[in-house]
Amino acid sequence: MSPASPAVPDSSPTPPDDFRTAAHAAADLVADYLAGLPGRPVWQPMGPADRTSLLEAPLPEDGVPLAGLLDFVGTRVMPAPMGNGNPRFFGWVNSAPAPAGVLATLAASAMNPSSAGGDHADVHLERAVVRWIAELVGFPHPAGGGLLTSGTSMATIVCLAAARNRAARRAGWDVREDGLAGMPPLVAYATGETHSCVRKAAELLGLGSKHLRTVPSGPEGQLDTDALRAAVARDRADGLLPFLVVASAGTVGTGAVDAFDPIADLCAEQELWLHVDGAYGAFGVLDPAIAHRYAGLERADSLALDPHKWLGVPVDCGCALVRDTDELRGTFSLVPSYLRDEAAGSLGWFSEYGMEQTRPFRSLKVWATIAHRGRQGISDDIARCTALARRLGELVEADPELELLAPVQTSIVAFRHRAAGLDEAAVNAVNRELPVAVQLRGRVFVTGALLGGREMLRACLLNAATTEDDLELLLAEVRAAAAGLTERPAGA
Ligand SMILES: Cc1ncc(COP(=O)(O)O)c(C=O)c1O
């Protein structure tokens, strides 16, 4: 006789009424947080004690009631935000969360599906919102031609993997079966301003970063197609396999948009896959004032873009769009027997189109964000951001202490401080320290980058709640922080 198993312990689920009470309190906490953002410092460093209390938080032995969790979140977590909800945040490419998306996040996590596939609302909603995203930016969308991802870094891996497989197959190799070993190297082309996620993807996909050629760009940051043509010819003559061009619909440094039509012409002629990184800037096409810059975007083979940037969909949410569905599915589809699903329909599962198996319910926050504003509302917000950026560019140009470093093409303004009498090295040194000096003052938040060897500030405008007064304040803060740096005794 086998021994009796120990008794199954009682379960102690959270009582529904406790959840309801806490959820109401959470709604107030979040609403107060969002309403209070403009009135608080944009960012401030966490005090050492607060930091330590998070870093060294002990693993709780016994549970805490929901109300206690809210107290911790309200008093210890929410007072130390990154700052990107504030209209005076101009850093990196991080937007304020769209309120409709915030609400949707609660419902999505209450349902908590895995959007890998199957026949449930989240899966069908994802197909709809991927099509909406494609329609918003004017990219062709065959059924199954895309999926939501964690961000553009992952979307880039998805798109470049499809590009790699197509190129290898055309050269007589099955990369999925044989790997890349023994094949002539595949070569990709991008400008020096291309986001680092492209290089990461190239490395990860076994292409090797030395086979990601840096193509020069012209004075406005656009990829130089004559140089591209010459580089492709050189590589072919050397027995290599050019296969991919990465263009940008808004570079992270200056917001430059490539001239897609000539690049697409060259790609068609040379049988190269054209991928566009539209992470930050693809939605700029919705602004009638700059839509012309995007002519030819729709000719790309793939486009990676981020609803979690300019649309304000709460992080995380990227999107990969691929013109040829078969290339995408052919790259990723692998259906083990435990996942066979006769009811999935001809498109199969999302997990056949990308890396993730268990996938979060991202589509509800995208749906809510787009449905709440509508195409017109989104276009208006984007047009306001680009107009603010142009205004900021004018303010910079009118200020003798400041220098605009690139034309304002989308909603990023690249500039630097240039105090009279400083040589280039000293100007660089000041601008290197300036972003943090501005941040520490707490009134605005801006970040920096290198552009052609020059240290600069870059202000990224993604928040339609930003005002022209906020722009004046940004420049006043830059001037004040620069004065603190240039007037301080040497070595201090
Ligand atoms: C132009 C550009 N491409 C790619 C990325 C990477 O996107 P993600 O952070 O969503 O992975 C960024 C992020 O800022 C970006 O600005």
Side-chain angles (χ1 to χ4, degrees):
M1 234 172 68
S2 58
S5 359
V8 175
D10 290 343
S11 74
S12 55
T14 303
D17 279 348
D18 283 11
F19 181 82
R20 187 179 304 280
T21 306
H24 285 151
D28 282 336
L29 180 68
V30 169
D32 288 347
Y33 170 80
L34 291 175
L37 278 173
R40 5 166 334 132
V42 178
W43 171 82
Q44 52 197 356
M46 286 190 84
D50 290 337
R51 209 187 308 175
T52 307
S53 87
L54 293 184
L55 281 170
E56 297 178 2
L59 172 70
E61 186 59 33
D62 297 311
V64 176
L66 293 178
L69 303 184
L70 283 182
D71 183 54
F72 180 86
V73 174
T75 58
R76 311 282 284 285
V77 178
M78 294 179 108
M82 178 181 182
N84 50 325
N86 191 298
R88 295 183 303 280
F89 182 94
F90 304 99
W92 301 296
V93 194
N94 295 102
S95 52
V102 175
L103 282 181
T105 304
L106 183 63
S109 59
M111 290 180 74
N112 200 33
S114 166
S115 297
D119 185 2
H120 23 106
D122 50 292
V123 171
H124 303 306
L125 203 53
E126 181 159 341
R127 296 215 186 280
V129 301
V130 170
R131 176 173 48 76
W132 283 8
I133 292 167
E135 280 179 29
L136 276 176
V137 298
F139 196 76
H141 185 65
L147 78 172
L148 300 179
T149 61
S150 59
T152 283
S153 298
M154 181 50 79
T156 303
I157 291 173
V158 168
C159 295
L160 267 51
R164 180 192 69 167
N165 283 15
R166 184 183 82 172
R169 192 183 63 250
R170 289 182 175 175
W173 292 78
D174 179 349
V175 172
R176 293 191 63 173
E177 181 69 19
D178 301 323
L180 289 168
M183 242 191 99
L186 292 166
V187 185
Y189 306 83
T191 72
E193 287 300 307
T194 304
H195 192 271
S196 51
C197 73
V198 171
R199 177 169 169 181
K200 264 195 193 174
E203 291 176 1
L204 209 62
L205 290 167
L207 304 171
S209 52
K210 74 174 182 186
H211 298 122
L212 175 59
R213 304 277 192 249
T214 302
V215 181
S217 41
E220 301 216 338
Q222 275 100 359
L223 185 147
D224 176 339
T225 33
D226 290 338
L228 173 62
R229 179 182 292 283
V232 170
R234 258 194 318 273
D235 285 327
R236 284 206 201 287
D238 288 344
L240 310 181
L241 291 180
F243 84 110
L244 168 73
V245 177
V246 179
S248 295
T251 57
V252 68
T254 67
V257 179
D258 276 318
F260 299 117
D261 268 325
I263 302 175
D265 288 343
L266 184 60
C267 287
E269 174 198 307
Q270 295 284 327
E271 298 189 5
L272 307 172
W273 180 292
L274 173 57
H275 172 74
V276 173
D277 178 353
Y280 147 65
F283 293 108
V285 71
L286 286 162
D287 173 6
I290 62 168
H292 62 277
R293 295 189 189 283
Y294 295 79
L297 173 70
E298 71 289 349
R299 296 173 62 191
D301 293 289
S302 56
L303 170 65
L305 70 176
D306 271 343
H308 71 201
K309 290 193 163 75
W310 217 337
L311 293 193
V313 171
V315 172
D316 65 3
C317 191
C319 181
L321 297 174
V322 177
R323 172 185 295 277
D324 186 336
T325 311
D326 291 343
E327 290 296 348
L328 188 57
R329 195 171 183 184
T331 300
F332 289 100
S333 180
L334 202 152
V335 185
S337 58
Y338 86 101
L339 290 174
R340 282 180 307 214
D341 180 3
E342 309 313 331
S346 60
L347 291 178
W349 282 32
F350 277 110
S351 52
E352 292 181 61
Y353 296 76
M355 272 309 299
E356 293 170 306
Q357 181 59 47
T358 300
R359 302 174 70 248
F361 187 0
R362 297 186 177 103
S363 57
L364 196 63
K365 58 191 177 182
V366 181
W367 169 81
T369 303
I370 299 178
H372 180 57
R373 295 292 287 138
R375 186 205 294 262
Q376 192 56 54
I378 293 172
S379 304
D380 291 349
D381 288 350
I382 284 180
R384 179 171 164 82
C385 292
T386 63
L388 284 167
R390 288 191 292 274
R391 178 82 192 111
L392 181 60
E394 287 162 10
L395 293 173
V396 167
E397 284 192 300
D399 189 325
E401 278 184 52
L402 303 174
E403 184 184 2
L404 189 67
L405 293 180
V408 180
Q409 294 183 34
T410 44
S411 75
I412 294 178
V413 183
F415 67 106
R416 66 176 178 171
H417 188 269
R418 195 175 183 115
L422 294 189
D423 65 15
E424 192 62 20
V427 169
N428 256 354
V430 168
N431 283 279
R432 176 78 201 245
E433 289 188 53
L434 203 41
V436 172
V438 172
Q439 291 162 19
L440 287 171
R441 294 169 62 87
R443 302 181 74 198
V444 301
F445 192 105
V446 70
T447 50
L450 263 179
L451 181 69
R454 293 189 290 186
E455 295 286 350
M456 65 162 185
L457 299 162
R458 50 175 291 294
C460 181
L461 285 118
L462 297 175
N463 190 337
T466 299
T467 64
E468 291 192 58
D469 286 349
D470 295 331
L471 305 181
E472 305 265 7
L473 182 66
L474 167 65
L475 298 188
E477 287 294 293
V478 167
R479 280 190 299 266
L485 292 172
T486 48
E487 285 160 16
R488 126 192 116 174

